[in-house]
Amino acid sequence: QNPRPEIVVGLIGAVGTSLQSVVDLLCQELRRADYDPKEIRLSSLLSDCHRHTHLKDLAGGPEDVRIDQSMEAGDKFRQGANRGDAVALLSIAKIRELRRSKTGESEVPAEGTAYILNSLKHPAELETLREVYGNSFIALSVYSPRHKRLEDLSKRIAQSRE
């Protein structure tokens, strides 16, 4: 048995939840366990798609616009593919690409590697990732009270508009 099996962690959180702090902590702890963490931002994968390259131009601009446009792009991407798991399929392709760079083969799991998917937005994504990765997939739901999310989001929006 592989002592450090490849794992895939899917983060789930409502808009305004500080998932980046969870990613940072996860990466720190995974490194302590001798894992190589690889964050995969699903919104970035979406911005690499031809119809959604405009999302790249939103970085550094107003946060509320970036969030709205990203959510709209995700919805359109899922509708266009007629699949609720469409964005998760992009993450699977990215994992295969990262595997190839480590093992030389996209089908060969990279021992000691943890892929952190930031962030899942549709129930079908969970189903597909569980089906593909089985026990190697861990879903982590991050909770933040509504008032805290609104406060944090308001600060991020205000700072982005200064």
Side-chain angles (χ1 to χ4, degrees), residues 3-115:
R4 292 180 314 121
E6 176 184 82
I7 58 174
V8 177
V9 180
L11 297 182
I12 306 153
V15 172
T17 302
S18 179
L19 291 180
Q20 195 56 53
S21 60
V22 174
V23 169
D24 294 344
L25 184 60
L26 260 176
C27 288
Q28 176 185 320
E29 294 304 315
L30 284 162
R31 284 187 193 101
R32 284 181 43 170
D34 201 26
Y35 266 81
D36 179 20
K38 303 283 186 193
E39 179 185 6
I40 300 172
R41 295 186 61 84
L42 274 61
S43 59
S44 293
L45 296 178
L46 198 54
S47 70
D48 288 337
C49 295
H50 177 69
R51 288 190 170 182
H52 304 292
T53 55
H54 68 281
L55 295 175
K56 291 179 183 180
D57 299 332
L58 301 175
E63 184 68 358
D64 52 322
V65 173
R66 187 193 67 76
I67 290 169
D68 284 344
Q69 294 275 326
S70 295
M71 288 175 25
E72 187 178 318
D75 290 343
K76 285 182 178 178
F77 189 75
R78 284 186 284 276
Q79 288 168 353
N82 201 27
R83 294 186 65 130
D85 65 351
V87 181
L89 296 176
L90 293 176
S91 71
I92 292 168
K94 183 64 174 180
I95 288 171
R96 291 171 55 87
E97 176 187 316
L98 292 169
R99 276 179 174 169
R100 189 178 300 112
S101 70
K102 284 190 116 177
T103 68
E105 295 287 334
S106 62
E107 296 294 321
V108 176
E111 179 182 337
T113 302
Y115 305 100

Side-chain angles (χ1 to χ4, degrees), residues 108-123:
V108 176
E111 179 182 337
T113 302
Y115 305 100
I116 302 168
L117 308 181
N118 183 6
S119 67
L120 304 175
K121 298 295 183 195
H122 195 282

